[in-house]
Amino acid sequence: MSQTLKEAATFPTDMKRSEYKMVINGETVGALSNETFTVYNPATGEAVAEVPKGGKEDVDRAVEAARQSFDHGKWKRYPAGKRARVLNKIASIMRKRFNELVEIEIINSGKTLMAAQGQVMQAIEDFEFYAGAIVGHRGTVNNMPGPFFNYTQKEPIGVAGQIIPWNYPIMMAAWKIAPAIAAGCSVVLKPASLTPITAIILTEICHEAGVPAGVVNVITGPGASIGSYLVEHKGVDKVAFTGETATGKDIMAKASETLKRVTLELGGKSPNLVFPDADIDGAVDGSLFGIFYNTGQSCEARSRLFIHESIYDEFMEKFIDKTKKLKLGDPMSQDTHIGAIINQGQLDKIHQYVETAKKEGATVVTGGESVKVDGYENGYWYAPTVITNVTNDMTVAQEEIFGPVVVVMTFKDEKEAVKLANDTKYGLAAAIWAKDQGLIKRVSDGIQAGIIMVNSPFSAFPGTPFGGYKQSGFGRELSIESLDLYTETKSVLSYTGAKPLNPFNL
Ligand code: NAP
């Protein structure tokens, strides 16, 4: 199959629609099978829109479009500054339509206004960051002995297959698309089936801003079939995946067949350590945010709370009191702290973990049940939950729950804190609450995690590398390092003597 490169079509101006399409080769298209599936609002349980249920044949045409645009198109040949201008234009269109993007994100994910506003803003800033970063992204000139000259240059890897989860739909799309296209790659993005809408809209915005047809394609449909097929596809050079660790392992195995470059941003069970000299009130507020932000549906959720035994009672009294004050309800309200759980399956999974904790001897001190929220009776809601009497070998301390559930443990000293923090297969993030700078440095050094937060609940800003150790994956996003992961380094070695060398002396 061969497609000619073309200028992008124009897209519907309304962001709120009853039907969305995939974007392939600059055009809005349905699945070749004409099949669709329905996406829902988790806060209300209501249907939001129909989306194409893409099949393998749709993956083929999306990859072909990306391949053509990469192999024969102009995008990667643009000077970096010109690509940067387009990325800035994407950001500027998003800024103009900020409120609409926030609203759609809330409708499709059930997250709160505060969370959606922050995440859309970060998506915008990602494009701005990479617009700046790509201009300064360059190779090296290396010292050589004798009459040799060596330089390296960064070249885009090619076609990137990108697969993202449902918890941060537009932010994950931006984390993936922005560095890839800044580097000159073409992409085929597959959003999660539960939350595909803002990724589709972002792809449309890319075209409106001047990204040529075929450079950014979005396909929708079941990950187990089309995601998997995208990973195996011979036309794809690199796979960038964010999602569960189990899915990541499957992807890594499949990508090995064609030796694709792979980056994996996977699950977490991040520790939150509170030391005796911490500002207790600040640590309570930060720890609360660390677990309950985004309704606990965060890869970097600090879901294991370790408190020094000397401050446990004071800390817990305040922490439980504030947990009980968290407000569930209208996601569009600025006062709401906790949004909806993504769907019934996830709600059941969370509750199952809480039941397992009880069976294993832990105590649920608050929450521990799904709740009905006035005006949102058909949505999926779970009470913010605190579990104590936990040991680090229990199921709830080892497995990612991905909901508003925190397990609490104590530690005696710094050594034990680090040991417990590292006693997990994951290594995404960790938070330290303390004042002693020496202790902070030692603990930061000792923890096996890609992101350490010190006296801060925030883990992700454009420019700061984001990614995991151990089974939380590998590769870094959000930072200059991502540009390296979308480029190959070519080393050019020249002999500068008057006459070529004759090493065999023949
Ligand atoms: P998931 O089930 O692994 O799905 C993620 C994406 O992969 C979805 O688009 C899914 O498509 C697709 N997919 C499913 N099976 C596939 C397969 N066999 N081959 C290729 N693609 C496949 O994860 P999730 O439940 O959406 O997201 C939650 C997970 O993401 C958590 O573990 C969380 O920690 C992790 N996460 C990590 C980071 C990070 O930066 N480390 C950030 C956010 C989230 P369908 O939706 O169609 O099934």
Side-chain angles (χ1 to χ4, degrees):
M1 180 175 61
S2 164
Q3 286 165 306
T4 50
L5 294 168
K6 46 184 275 310
E7 293 307 312
T10 50
F11 298 101
T13 49
D14 277 357
M15 284 193 187
K16 255 184 175 169
R17 302 169 215 155
S18 57
E19 188 186 12
Y20 293 84
K21 301 272 194 197
M22 303 189 285
V23 180
I24 297 178
N25 204 25
E27 280 181 318
T28 56
V29 295
L32 286 171
S33 66
N34 285 324
E35 283 187 78
T36 62
F37 63 97
T38 310
V39 295
Y40 295 90
N41 180 341
T44 61
E46 285 163 6
V48 172
E50 287 296 304
V51 174
K53 187 173 173 190
K56 291 183 178 173
E57 59 286 3
D58 298 303
V59 178
D60 282 335
R61 55 184 180 146
V63 172
E64 174 68 11
R67 199 69 266 163
Q68 289 283 327
S69 75
F70 185 77
D71 294 341
H72 308 295
K74 55 194 174 185
W75 180 251
K76 72 173 177 201
R77 295 185 181 87
Y78 280 177
K82 187 166 175 182
R83 286 202 300 274
R85 283 200 294 283
V86 177
L87 266 80
N88 275 323
K89 180 96 186 283
I90 295 169
S92 123
I93 296 170
M94 292 171 80
R95 272 186 195 281
K96 279 197 203 109
R97 307 199 66 178
F98 180 80
N99 289 335
E100 291 168 89
L101 286 169
V102 167
E103 190 184 347
I104 301 273
E105 190 74 331
I106 292 171
I107 289 172
N108 191 193
S109 68
K111 63 179 74 228
T112 63
L113 182 64
M114 181 222 188
Q117 283 176 331
Q119 290 158 28
V120 173
M121 187 50 76
Q122 209 209 74
I124 294 168
E125 289 172 354
D126 284 340
F127 282 95
E128 292 168 341
F129 172 76
Y130 285 109
I134 194 60
V135 177
H137 193 243
R138 55 175 72 97
T140 55
V141 176
N142 301 312
N143 288 333
M144 296 294 297
F148 291 97
F149 174 60
N150 174 230
Y151 68 93
T152 64
Q153 65 188 27
K154 299 282 186 184
E155 297 183 353
I157 270 182
V159 171
Q162 306 181 316
I163 302 177
I164 56 172
W166 48 261
N167 62 329
Y168 296 130
I170 195 166
M171 205 171 82
M172 290 295 110
W175 282 25
K176 292 279 183 275
I177 295 173
I181 65 171
C185 294
S186 293
V187 309
V188 177
L189 176 79
K190 198 213 88 68
S193 296
L194 294 169
T195 55
I197 296 179
T198 46
I200 293 173
I201 292 171
L202 178 56
T203 307
E204 295 173 358
I205 290 175
C206 289
H207 289 86
E208 189 186 335
V211 173
V215 173
V216 181
N217 307 276
V218 62
I219 53 170
T220 48
S225 56
I226 67 164
S228 189
Y229 185 61
L230 180 64
V231 170
E232 290 171 338
H233 207 291
K234 287 197 171 62
V236 172
D237 302 296
K238 178 201 161 103
V239 172
F241 171 76
T242 300
E244 281 187 30
T245 294
T247 320
K249 288 179 186 179
D250 183 47
I251 283 175
M252 193 167 160
K254 288 193 171 122
S256 71
E257 190 57 36
T258 41
L259 273 188
K260 290 184 173 66
R261 278 69 182 134
V262 177
T263 47
L264 300 173
E265 301 289 347
L266 309 176
K269 193 75 190 175
S270 298
N272 187 69
L273 308 165
V274 188
F275 287 89
D277 66 337
D279 173 330
I280 301 279
D281 291 323
V284 166
D285 293 338
S287 306
L288 206 69
F289 187 87
I291 177 62
F292 296 122
Y293 170 70
N294 214 46
T295 317
Q297 301 173 127
S298 292
C299 50
E300 85 290 10
R302 273 120 284 159
S303 51
R304 288 184 303 146
L305 179 50
F306 295 103
I307 304 165
H308 189 269
E309 55 192 19
S310 67
I311 52 165
Y312 182 81
D313 291 342
E314 181 189 355
F315 182 97
M316 285 307 288
E317 193 185 330
K318 292 178 174 176
F319 186 78
I320 292 164
D321 180 52
K322 289 207 170 177
T323 300
K324 288 179 178 163
K325 288 185 177 141
L326 290 169
K327 217 171 134 196
L328 286 75
D330 180 3
M332 301 282 184
S333 160
Q334 200 74 57
D335 298 332
T336 303
H337 304 110
I338 305 285
I341 304 298
I342 194 72
N343 65 4
Q344 185 67 49
Q346 188 62 19
L347 192 71
D348 294 343
K349 186 177 153 199
I350 294 166
H351 191 60
Q352 196 54 51
Y353 273 117
V354 173
E355 290 298 316
T356 303
K358 287 197 261 183
K359 277 191 207 121
E360 292 182 6
T363 308
V364 175
V365 286
T366 183
E369 58 190 2
S370 56
V371 282
K372 289 273 171 229
V373 173
D374 284 349
Y376 296 87
E377 286 80 3
N378 295 323
Y380 314 108
W381 303 88
Y382 204 80
T385 300
V386 180
I387 304 181
T388 59
N389 287 325
V390 174
T391 54
N392 203 46
D393 56 352
M394 286 184 182
T395 308
V396 274
Q398 288 296 323
E399 295 186 14
E400 187 182 41
I401 299 175
F402 222 59
V405 180
V406 66
V407 298
V408 192
M409 288 163 272
T410 58
F411 62 90
K412 283 193 293 295
D413 54 25
E414 186 183 321
K415 200 170 157 206
E416 190 187 17
V418 172
K419 187 166 177 271
L420 286 167
N422 288 335
D423 180 18
T424 164
K425 68 178 179 182
Y426 297 111
L428 188 55
I432 301 168
W433 300 90
K435 291 202 186 84
D436 178 341
Q437 291 299 317
L439 174 143
I440 290 169
K441 176 73 169 65
R442 287 190 301 276
V443 175
S444 303
D445 288 350
I447 290 180
Q448 297 154 345
I451 306 137
I452 309 281
M453 288 153 272
V454 178
N455 295 322
S456 163
F458 302 122
S459 59
F461 293 93
T464 58
F466 192 98
Y469 281 28
K470 302 196 281 186
Q471 292 193 31
S472 288
F474 48 81
R476 293 293 179 269
E477 299 205 288
L478 260 194
S479 57
I480 302 263
E481 288 181 44
S482 308
L483 289 178
D484 289 334
L485 297 169
Y486 283 102
T487 47
E488 298 277 20
T489 300
K490 180 176 280 172
S491 173
V492 181
L493 180 65
S494 313
Y495 177 65
T496 57
K499 196 167 177 300
L501 294 171
N502 178 9
F504 280 139
N505 221 7
L506 290 174

